[in-house]
PDB file of all heavy atoms in Angstrom:
ATOM      1  N   ASP Q 291     -27.673 -10.962  19.673  1.00  0.00           N
ATOM      2  CA  ASP Q 291     -28.489  -9.757  19.549  1.00  0.00           C
ATOM      3  C   ASP Q 291     -28.341  -8.950  20.836  1.00  0.00           C
ATOM      4  O   ASP Q 291     -28.262  -9.511  21.930  1.00  0.00           O
ATOM      5  CB  ASP Q 291     -29.955 -10.124  19.338  1.00  0.00           C
ATOM      6  CG  ASP Q 291     -30.168 -10.954  18.074  1.00  0.00           C
ATOM      7  OD1 ASP Q 291     -29.316 -10.889  17.161  1.00  0.00           O
ATOM      8  OD2 ASP Q 291     -31.185 -11.659  18.006  1.00  0.00           O
ATOM      9  N   ALA Q 292     -28.360  -7.622  20.723  1.00  0.00           N
ATOM     10  CA  ALA Q 292     -28.170  -6.777  21.904  1.00  0.00           C
ATOM     11  C   ALA Q 292     -29.453  -6.609  22.703  1.00  0.00           C
ATOM     12  O   ALA Q 292     -29.449  -6.746  23.923  1.00  0.00           O
ATOM     13  CB  ALA Q 292     -27.619  -5.415  21.493  1.00  0.00           C
ATOM     14  N   ALA Q 293     -30.572  -6.275  22.041  1.00  0.00           N
ATOM     15  CA  ALA Q 293     -31.797  -5.946  22.778  1.00  0.00           C
ATOM     16  C   ALA Q 293     -33.011  -6.608  22.146  1.00  0.00           C
ATOM     17  O   ALA Q 293     -33.177  -6.594  20.927  1.00  0.00           O
ATOM     18  CB  ALA Q 293     -31.983  -4.436  22.818  1.00  0.00           C
ATOM     19  N   HIS Q 294     -33.863  -7.163  22.999  1.00  0.00           N
ATOM     20  CA  HIS Q 294     -35.142  -7.751  22.583  1.00  0.00           C
ATOM     21  C   HIS Q 294     -36.251  -7.031  23.334  1.00  0.00           C
ATOM     22  O   HIS Q 294     -36.214  -6.950  24.565  1.00  0.00           O
ATOM     23  CB  HIS Q 294     -35.203  -9.242  22.937  1.00  0.00           C
ATOM     24  CG  HIS Q 294     -34.185 -10.071  22.246  1.00  0.00           C
ATOM     25  ND1 HIS Q 294     -34.419 -10.679  21.049  1.00  0.00           N
ATOM     26  CD2 HIS Q 294     -32.915 -10.377  22.591  1.00  0.00           C
ATOM     27  CE1 HIS Q 294     -33.332 -11.342  20.670  1.00  0.00           C
ATOM     28  NE2 HIS Q 294     -32.404 -11.164  21.586  1.00  0.00           N
ATOM     29  N   VAL Q 295     -37.230  -6.519  22.592  1.00  0.00           N
ATOM     30  CA  VAL Q 295     -38.402  -5.881  23.192  1.00  0.00           C
ATOM     31  C   VAL Q 295     -39.585  -6.724  22.749  1.00  0.00           C
ATOM     32  O   VAL Q 295     -39.917  -6.758  21.561  1.00  0.00           O
ATOM     33  CB  VAL Q 295     -38.529  -4.412  22.738  1.00  0.00           C
ATOM     34  CG1 VAL Q 295     -39.765  -3.767  23.350  1.00  0.00           C
ATOM     35  CG2 VAL Q 295     -37.259  -3.632  23.116  1.00  0.00           C
ATOM     36  N   GLU Q 296     -40.217  -7.423  23.701  1.00  0.00           N
ATOM     37  CA  GLU Q 296     -41.193  -8.451  23.351  1.00  0.00           C
ATOM     38  C   GLU Q 296     -42.499  -8.289  24.115  1.00  0.00           C
ATOM     39  O   GLU Q 296     -42.585  -7.543  25.083  1.00  0.00           O
ATOM     40  CB  GLU Q 296     -40.596  -9.833  23.647  1.00  0.00           C
ATOM     41  CG  GLU Q 296     -39.298 -10.093  22.904  1.00  0.00           C
ATOM     42  CD  GLU Q 296     -38.617 -11.396  23.304  1.00  0.00           C
ATOM     43  OE1 GLU Q 296     -38.862 -11.893  24.423  1.00  0.00           O
ATOM     44  OE2 GLU Q 296     -37.856 -11.909  22.489  1.00  0.00           O
ATOM     45  N   GLY Q 297     -43.491  -9.062  23.677  1.00  0.00           N
ATOM     46  CA  GLY Q 297     -44.808  -9.034  24.320  1.00  0.00           C
ATOM     47  C   GLY Q 297     -45.529  -7.753  23.945  1.00  0.00           C
ATOM     48  O   GLY Q 297     -45.684  -7.432  22.781  1.00  0.00           O
ATOM     49  N   ALA Q 298     -45.936  -7.012  24.959  1.00  0.00           N
ATOM     50  CA  ALA Q 298     -46.604  -5.722  24.746  1.00  0.00           C
ATOM     51  C   ALA Q 298     -45.827  -4.644  25.492  1.00  0.00           C
ATOM     52  O   ALA Q 298     -46.375  -3.893  26.291  1.00  0.00           O
ATOM     53  CB  ALA Q 298     -48.051  -5.791  25.216  1.00  0.00           C
ATOM     54  N   SER Q 299     -44.528  -4.570  25.249  1.00  0.00           N
ATOM     55  CA  SER Q 299     -43.665  -3.600  25.923  1.00  0.00           C
ATOM     56  C   SER Q 299     -43.665  -2.272  25.172  1.00  0.00           C
ATOM     57  O   SER Q 299     -43.823  -2.238  23.954  1.00  0.00           O
ATOM     58  CB  SER Q 299     -42.228  -4.124  26.003  1.00  0.00           C
ATOM     59  OG  SER Q 299     -42.150  -5.296  26.776  1.00  0.00           O
ATOM     60  N   ARG Q 300     -43.460  -1.188  25.930  1.00  0.00           N
ATOM     61  CA  ARG Q 300     -43.243   0.138  25.341  1.00  0.00           C
ATOM     62  C   ARG Q 300     -41.929   0.655  25.902  1.00  0.00           C
ATOM     63  O   ARG Q 300     -41.801   0.851  27.103  1.00  0.00           O
ATOM     64  CB  ARG Q 300     -44.381   1.091  25.690  1.00  0.00           C
ATOM     65  CG  ARG Q 300     -45.693   0.688  25.037  1.00  0.00           C
ATOM     66  CD  ARG Q 300     -46.783   1.718  25.232  1.00  0.00           C
ATOM     67  NE  ARG Q 300     -47.038   1.934  26.656  1.00  0.00           N
ATOM     68  CZ  ARG Q 300     -47.593   3.037  27.147  1.00  0.00           C
ATOM     69  NH1 ARG Q 300     -47.942   4.019  26.341  1.00  0.00           N
ATOM     70  NH2 ARG Q 300     -47.812   3.161  28.436  1.00  0.00           N
ATOM     71  N   VAL Q 301     -40.948   0.860  24.996  1.00  0.00           N
ATOM     72  CA  VAL Q 301     -39.610   1.253  25.420  1.00  0.00           C
ATOM     73  C   VAL Q 301     -39.164   2.478  24.624  1.00  0.00           C
ATOM     74  O   VAL Q 301     -39.344   2.538  23.409  1.00  0.00           O
ATOM     75  CB  VAL Q 301     -38.597   0.097  25.223  1.00  0.00           C
ATOM     76  CG1 VAL Q 301     -37.203   0.511  25.686  1.00  0.00           C
ATOM     77  CG2 VAL Q 301     -39.054  -1.145  25.979  1.00  0.00           C
ATOM     78  N   VAL Q 302     -38.581   3.449  25.332  1.00  0.00           N
ATOM     79  CA  VAL Q 302     -38.023   4.649  24.716  1.00  0.00           C
ATOM     80  C   VAL Q 302     -36.527   4.665  25.003  1.00  0.00           C
ATOM     81  O   VAL Q 302     -36.113   4.514  26.156  1.00  0.00           O
ATOM     82  CB  VAL Q 302     -38.674   5.931  25.296  1.00  0.00           C
ATOM     83  CG1 VAL Q 302     -38.021   7.174  24.715  1.00  0.00           C
ATOM     84  CG2 VAL Q 302     -40.171   5.930  25.044  1.00  0.00           C
ATOM     85  N   PHE Q 303     -35.711   4.829  23.957  1.00  0.00           N
ATOM     86  CA  PHE Q 303     -34.260   4.952  24.090  1.00  0.00           C
ATOM     87  C   PHE Q 303     -33.888   6.397  23.759  1.00  0.00           C
ATOM     88  O   PHE Q 303     -34.232   6.890  22.682  1.00  0.00           O
ATOM     89  CB  PHE Q 303     -33.532   4.037  23.105  1.00  0.00           C
ATOM     90  CG  PHE Q 303     -33.711   2.565  23.361  1.00  0.00           C
ATOM     91  CD1 PHE Q 303     -34.719   1.851  22.733  1.00  0.00           C
ATOM     92  CD2 PHE Q 303     -32.852   1.885  24.214  1.00  0.00           C
ATOM     93  CE1 PHE Q 303     -34.880   0.491  22.946  1.00  0.00           C
ATOM     94  CE2 PHE Q 303     -32.996   0.513  24.426  1.00  0.00           C
ATOM     95  CZ  PHE Q 303     -34.010  -0.174  23.799  1.00  0.00           C
ATOM     96  N   VAL Q 304     -33.175   7.071  24.677  1.00  0.00           N
ATOM     97  CA  VAL Q 304     -32.760   8.457  24.474  1.00  0.00           C
ATOM     98  C   VAL Q 304     -31.244   8.544  24.646  1.00  0.00           C
ATOM     99  O   VAL Q 304     -30.714   8.190  25.710  1.00  0.00           O
ATOM    100  CB  VAL Q 304     -33.457   9.407  25.483  1.00  0.00           C
ATOM    101  CG1 VAL Q 304     -33.002  10.845  25.260  1.00  0.00           C
ATOM    102  CG2 VAL Q 304     -34.970   9.290  25.379  1.00  0.00           C
ATOM    103  N   ASP Q 305     -30.543   8.986  23.606  1.00  0.00           N
ATOM    104  CA  ASP Q 305     -29.087   9.144  23.638  1.00  0.00           C
ATOM    105  C   ASP Q 305     -28.361   7.868  24.064  1.00  0.00           C
ATOM    106  O   ASP Q 305     -27.507   7.878  24.949  1.00  0.00           O
ATOM    107  CB  ASP Q 305     -28.683  10.311  24.560  1.00  0.00           C
ATOM    108  CG  ASP Q 305     -29.175  11.644  24.039  1.00  0.00           C
ATOM    109  OD1 ASP Q 305     -29.282  11.792  22.808  1.00  0.00           O
ATOM    110  OD2 ASP Q 305     -29.465  12.531  24.862  1.00  0.00           O
ATOM    111  N   CYS Q 306     -28.709   6.759  23.431  1.00  0.00           N
ATOM    112  CA  CYS Q 306     -28.129   5.453  23.754  1.00  0.00           C
ATOM    113  C   CYS Q 306     -27.330   4.898  22.577  1.00  0.00           C
ATOM    114  O   CYS Q 306     -27.451   5.370  21.447  1.00  0.00           O
ATOM    115  CB  CYS Q 306     -29.241   4.454  24.092  1.00  0.00           C
ATOM    116  SG  CYS Q 306     -30.163   4.829  25.593  1.00  0.00           S
ATOM    117  N   LEU Q 307     -26.541   3.867  22.851  1.00  0.00           N
ATOM    118  CA  LEU Q 307     -25.897   3.044  21.841  1.00  0.00           C
ATOM    119  C   LEU Q 307     -26.430   1.632  22.023  1.00  0.00           C
ATOM    120  O   LEU Q 307     -26.363   1.086  23.128  1.00  0.00           O
ATOM    121  CB  LEU Q 307     -24.373   3.040  22.002  1.00  0.00           C
ATOM    122  CG  LEU Q 307     -23.612   1.999  21.173  1.00  0.00           C
ATOM    123  CD1 LEU Q 307     -23.756   2.285  19.677  1.00  0.00           C
ATOM    124  CD2 LEU Q 307     -22.155   1.946  21.586  1.00  0.00           C
ATOM    125  N   ILE Q 308     -26.964   1.047  20.939  1.00  0.00           N
ATOM    126  CA  ILE Q 308     -27.437  -0.334  20.948  1.00  0.00           C
ATOM    127  C   ILE Q 308     -26.664  -1.047  19.846  1.00  0.00           C
ATOM    128  O   ILE Q 308     -26.777  -0.678  18.677  1.00  0.00           O
ATOM    129  CB  ILE Q 308     -28.949  -0.422  20.677  1.00  0.00           C
ATOM    130  CG1 ILE Q 308     -29.718   0.524  21.595  1.00  0.00           C
ATOM    131  CG2 ILE Q 308     -29.438  -1.850  20.833  1.00  0.00           C
ATOM    132  CD1 ILE Q 308     -31.170   0.708  21.196  1.00  0.00           C
ATOM    133  N   GLU Q 309     -25.864  -2.054  20.213  1.00  0.00           N
ATOM    134  CA  GLU Q 309     -24.987  -2.677  19.215  1.00  0.00           C
ATOM    135  C   GLU Q 309     -24.938  -4.189  19.377  1.00  0.00           C
ATOM    136  O   GLU Q 309     -24.655  -4.701  20.462  1.00  0.00           O
ATOM    137  CB  GLU Q 309     -23.582  -2.094  19.349  1.00  0.00           C
ATOM    138  CG  GLU Q 309     -22.636  -2.552  18.263  1.00  0.00           C
ATOM    139  CD  GLU Q 309     -21.340  -1.781  18.295  1.00  0.00           C
ATOM    140  OE1 GLU Q 309     -20.839  -1.452  19.384  1.00  0.00           O
ATOM    141  OE2 GLU Q 309     -20.819  -1.506  17.209  1.00  0.00           O
ATOM    142  N   GLY Q 310     -25.218  -4.892  18.259  1.00  0.00           N
ATOM    143  CA  GLY Q 310     -25.179  -6.354  18.235  1.00  0.00           C
ATOM    144  C   GLY Q 310     -23.762  -6.898  18.190  1.00  0.00           C
ATOM    145  O   GLY Q 310     -22.804  -6.173  17.936  1.00  0.00           O
ATOM    146  N   GLY Q 311     -23.641  -8.202  18.442  1.00  0.00           N
ATOM    147  CA  GLY Q 311     -22.344  -8.859  18.466  1.00  0.00           C
ATOM    148  C   GLY Q 311     -21.792  -9.116  17.071  1.00  0.00           C
ATOM    149  O   GLY Q 311     -22.519  -9.101  16.078  1.00  0.00           O
ATOM    150  N   PRO Q 312     -20.506  -9.377  16.967  1.00  0.00           N
ATOM    151  CA  PRO Q 312     -19.863  -9.612  15.674  1.00  0.00           C
ATOM    152  C   PRO Q 312     -20.192 -10.993  15.114  1.00  0.00           C
ATOM    153  O   PRO Q 312     -20.690 -11.860  15.823  1.00  0.00           O
ATOM    154  CB  PRO Q 312     -18.371  -9.510  16.016  1.00  0.00           C
ATOM    155  CG  PRO Q 312     -18.302  -9.986  17.431  1.00  0.00           C
ATOM    156  CD  PRO Q 312     -19.565  -9.484  18.087  1.00  0.00           C
ATOM    157  N   ALA Q 313     -19.891 -11.174  13.834  1.00  0.00           N
ATOM    158  CA  ALA Q 313     -20.021 -12.484  13.200  1.00  0.00           C
ATOM    159  C   ALA Q 313     -18.826 -13.355  13.577  1.00  0.00           C
ATOM    160  O   ALA Q 313     -17.906 -12.906  14.266  1.00  0.00           O
ATOM    161  CB  ALA Q 313     -20.085 -12.320  11.685  1.00  0.00           C
ATOM    162  N   GLN Q 314     -18.842 -14.599  13.114  1.00  0.00           N
ATOM    163  CA  GLN Q 314     -17.689 -15.481  13.309  1.00  0.00           C
ATOM    164  C   GLN Q 314     -16.441 -14.787  12.779  1.00  0.00           C
ATOM    165  O   GLN Q 314     -16.477 -14.179  11.717  1.00  0.00           O
ATOM    166  CB  GLN Q 314     -17.876 -16.787  12.523  1.00  0.00           C
ATOM    167  CG  GLN Q 314     -18.867 -17.732  13.114  1.00  0.00           C
ATOM    168  CD  GLN Q 314     -18.280 -18.536  14.270  1.00  0.00           C
ATOM    169  OE1 GLN Q 314     -17.149 -18.332  14.693  1.00  0.00           O
ATOM    170  NE2 GLN Q 314     -19.074 -19.434  14.790  1.00  0.00           N
ATOM    171  N   PRO Q 315     -15.321 -14.869  13.483  1.00  0.00           N
ATOM    172  CA  PRO Q 315     -14.086 -14.272  12.976  1.00  0.00           C
ATOM    173  C   PRO Q 315     -13.694 -14.904  11.642  1.00  0.00           C
ATOM    174  O   PRO Q 315     -13.954 -16.084  11.407  1.00  0.00           O
ATOM    175  CB  PRO Q 315     -13.050 -14.592  14.042  1.00  0.00           C
ATOM    176  CG  PRO Q 315     -13.831 -14.919  15.263  1.00  0.00           C
ATOM    177  CD  PRO Q 315     -15.149 -15.474  14.790  1.00  0.00           C
ATOM    178  N   ASP Q 316     -13.071 -14.125  10.789  1.00  0.00           N
ATOM    179  CA  ASP Q 316     -12.618 -14.607   9.495  1.00  0.00           C
ATOM    180  C   ASP Q 316     -11.725 -15.828   9.696  1.00  0.00           C
ATOM    181  O   ASP Q 316     -10.808 -15.819  10.498  1.00  0.00           O
ATOM    182  CB  ASP Q 316     -11.847 -13.503   8.765  1.00  0.00           C
ATOM    183  CG  ASP Q 316     -11.561 -13.879   7.331  1.00  0.00           C
ATOM    184  OD1 ASP Q 316     -12.355 -14.642   6.757  1.00  0.00           O
ATOM    185  OD2 ASP Q 316     -10.553 -13.409   6.795  1.00  0.00           O
ATOM    186  N   GLY Q 317     -12.048 -16.896   8.989  1.00  0.00           N
ATOM    187  CA  GLY Q 317     -11.258 -18.110   9.069  1.00  0.00           C
ATOM    188  C   GLY Q 317     -11.766 -19.100  10.106  1.00  0.00           C
ATOM    189  O   GLY Q 317     -11.409 -20.254  10.094  1.00  0.00           O
ATOM    190  N   ALA Q 318     -12.646 -18.655  11.046  1.00  0.00           N
ATOM    191  CA  ALA Q 318     -13.166 -19.567  12.065  1.00  0.00           C
ATOM    192  C   ALA Q 318     -14.262 -20.449  11.492  1.00  0.00           C
ATOM    193  O   ALA Q 318     -14.577 -21.486  12.026  1.00  0.00           O
ATOM    194  CB  ALA Q 318     -13.702 -18.785  13.257  1.00  0.00           C
ATOM    195  N   SER Q 319     -14.855 -20.016  10.391  1.00  0.00           N
ATOM    196  CA  SER Q 319     -15.934 -20.774   9.764  1.00  0.00           C
ATOM    197  C   SER Q 319     -15.819 -20.599   8.261  1.00  0.00           C
ATOM    198  O   SER Q 319     -15.507 -19.515   7.783  1.00  0.00           O
ATOM    199  CB  SER Q 319     -17.290 -20.233  10.250  1.00  0.00           C
ATOM    200  OG  SER Q 319     -18.319 -20.713   9.425  1.00  0.00           O
ATOM    201  N   ALA Q 320     -16.110 -21.648   7.533  1.00  0.00           N
ATOM    202  CA  ALA Q 320     -16.080 -21.537   6.075  1.00  0.00           C
ATOM    203  C   ALA Q 320     -17.227 -20.675   5.569  1.00  0.00           C
ATOM    204  O   ALA Q 320     -17.229 -20.264   4.423  1.00  0.00           O
ATOM    205  CB  ALA Q 320     -16.166 -22.932   5.453  1.00  0.00           C
ATOM    206  N   MET Q 321     -18.197 -20.382   6.423  1.00  0.00           N
ATOM    207  CA  MET Q 321     -19.374 -19.633   6.002  1.00  0.00           C
ATOM    208  C   MET Q 321     -19.295 -18.146   6.313  1.00  0.00           C
ATOM    209  O   MET Q 321     -20.123 -17.383   5.854  1.00  0.00           O
ATOM    210  CB  MET Q 321     -20.633 -20.216   6.662  1.00  0.00           C
ATOM    211  CG  MET Q 321     -20.924 -21.639   6.229  1.00  0.00           C
ATOM    212  SD  MET Q 321     -21.076 -21.815   4.439  1.00  0.00           S
ATOM    213  CE  MET Q 321     -22.568 -20.899   4.150  1.00  0.00           C
ATOM    214  N   GLY Q 322     -18.366 -17.683   7.142  1.00  0.00           N
ATOM    215  CA  GLY Q 322     -18.379 -16.279   7.528  1.00  0.00           C
ATOM    216  C   GLY Q 322     -19.669 -16.007   8.257  1.00  0.00           C
ATOM    217  O   GLY Q 322     -20.093 -16.796   9.075  1.00  0.00           O
ATOM    218  N   GLY Q 323     -20.370 -14.927   7.960  1.00  0.00           N
ATOM    219  CA  GLY Q 323     -21.702 -14.777   8.522  1.00  0.00           C
ATOM    220  C   GLY Q 323     -22.101 -13.390   8.909  1.00  0.00           C
ATOM    221  O   GLY Q 323     -21.372 -12.426   8.730  1.00  0.00           O
ATOM    222  N   TRP Q 324     -23.324 -13.327   9.429  1.00  0.00           N
ATOM    223  CA  TRP Q 324     -23.928 -12.085   9.895  1.00  0.00           C
ATOM    224  C   TRP Q 324     -23.516 -11.819  11.328  1.00  0.00           C
ATOM    225  O   TRP Q 324     -23.351 -12.733  12.116  1.00  0.00           O
ATOM    226  CB  TRP Q 324     -25.447 -12.217   9.888  1.00  0.00           C
ATOM    227  CG  TRP Q 324     -26.080 -12.408   8.560  1.00  0.00           C
ATOM    228  CD1 TRP Q 324     -26.504 -13.587   8.026  1.00  0.00           C
ATOM    229  CD2 TRP Q 324     -26.390 -11.415   7.610  1.00  0.00           C
ATOM    230  NE1 TRP Q 324     -27.060 -13.379   6.805  1.00  0.00           N
ATOM    231  CE2 TRP Q 324     -27.007 -12.042   6.519  1.00  0.00           C
ATOM    232  CE3 TRP Q 324     -26.214 -10.038   7.575  1.00  0.00           C
ATOM    233  CZ2 TRP Q 324     -27.441 -11.344   5.407  1.00  0.00           C
ATOM    234  CZ3 TRP Q 324     -26.651  -9.345   6.471  1.00  0.00           C
ATOM    235  CH2 TRP Q 324     -27.254  -9.996   5.400  1.00  0.00           C
ATOM    236  N   GLY Q 325     -23.447 -10.565  11.668  1.00  0.00           N
ATOM    237  CA  GLY Q 325     -23.334 -10.196  13.074  1.00  0.00           C
ATOM    238  C   GLY Q 325     -24.717 -10.242  13.701  1.00  0.00           C
ATOM    239  O   GLY Q 325     -25.721 -10.463  13.021  1.00  0.00           O
ATOM    240  N   GLY Q 326     -24.805 -10.046  14.999  1.00  0.00           N
ATOM    241  CA  GLY Q 326     -26.083 -10.065  15.696  1.00  0.00           C
ATOM    242  C   GLY Q 326     -26.892  -8.805  15.450  1.00  0.00           C
ATOM    243  O   GLY Q 326     -26.356  -7.753  15.110  1.00  0.00           O
ATOM    244  N   ASP Q 327     -28.203  -8.919  15.638  1.00  0.00           N
ATOM    245  CA  ASP Q 327     -29.080  -7.752  15.526  1.00  0.00           C
ATOM    246  C   ASP Q 327     -28.821  -6.812  16.696  1.00  0.00           C
ATOM    247  O   ASP Q 327     -28.530  -7.237  17.804  1.00  0.00           O
ATOM    248  CB  ASP Q 327     -30.551  -8.169  15.579  1.00  0.00           C
ATOM    249  CG  ASP Q 327     -30.978  -8.953  14.350  1.00  0.00           C
ATOM    250  OD1 ASP Q 327     -30.357  -8.790  13.286  1.00  0.00           O
ATOM    251  OD2 ASP Q 327     -31.944  -9.728  14.463  1.00  0.00           O
ATOM    252  N   ALA Q 328     -28.995  -5.525  16.448  1.00  0.00           N
ATOM    253  CA  ALA Q 328     -28.910  -4.561  17.535  1.00  0.00           C
ATOM    254  C   ALA Q 328     -30.207  -4.567  18.332  1.00  0.00           C
ATOM    255  O   ALA Q 328     -30.204  -4.631  19.553  1.00  0.00           O
ATOM    256  CB  ALA Q 328     -28.634  -3.168  16.981  1.00  0.00           C
ATOM    257  N   LEU Q 329     -31.344  -4.537  17.639  1.00  0.00           N
ATOM    258  CA  LEU Q 329     -32.630  -4.385  18.304  1.00  0.00           C
ATOM    259  C   LEU Q 329     -33.674  -5.219  17.585  1.00  0.00           C
ATOM    260  O   LEU Q 329     -33.862  -5.088  16.383  1.00  0.00           O
ATOM    261  CB  LEU Q 329     -33.033  -2.907  18.286  1.00  0.00           C
ATOM    262  CG  LEU Q 329     -34.388  -2.514  18.840  1.00  0.00           C
ATOM    263  CD1 LEU Q 329     -34.501  -2.865  20.316  1.00  0.00           C
ATOM    264  CD2 LEU Q 329     -34.608  -1.016  18.631  1.00  0.00           C
ATOM    265  N   GLU Q 330     -34.362  -6.071  18.333  1.00  0.00           N
ATOM    266  CA  GLU Q 330     -35.441  -6.881  17.778  1.00  0.00           C
ATOM    267  C   GLU Q 330     -36.715  -6.552  18.549  1.00  0.00           C
ATOM    268  O   GLU Q 330     -36.750  -6.635  19.781  1.00  0.00           O
ATOM    269  CB  GLU Q 330     -35.115  -8.362  17.912  1.00  0.00           C
ATOM    270  CG  GLU Q 330     -36.167  -9.253  17.316  1.00  0.00           C
ATOM    271  CD  GLU Q 330     -35.812 -10.723  17.411  1.00  0.00           C
ATOM    272  OE1 GLU Q 330     -34.660 -11.050  17.711  1.00  0.00           O
ATOM    273  OE2 GLU Q 330     -36.707 -11.540  17.175  1.00  0.00           O
TER     274      GLU Q 330
END
C-alpha cells in the first residue's frame, strides 16, 4: 500500500500522485492477485 492515514490524522493532498504496488507478476504465483491499495 502507498499511503496509510491512521488514528485521528487530517491530511490534504493537492496535485499529487498516490499509487499502490503491483500484484505478483504473472506466473510467479498460481493465484495472481491484487495490487496494493493507494490510500487507506
Side-chain angles (χ1 to χ4, degrees):
D291 300 337
H294 297 269
V295 179
E296 302 174 336
S299 297
R300 293 187 301 157
V301 181
V302 176
F303 293 93
V304 180
D305 295 329
C306 294
L307 169 65
I308 309 168
E309 187 170 37
Q314 286 280 5
D316 190 29
S319 166
M321 296 304 293
W324 296 100
D327 292 335
L329 176 62
E330 182 178 347

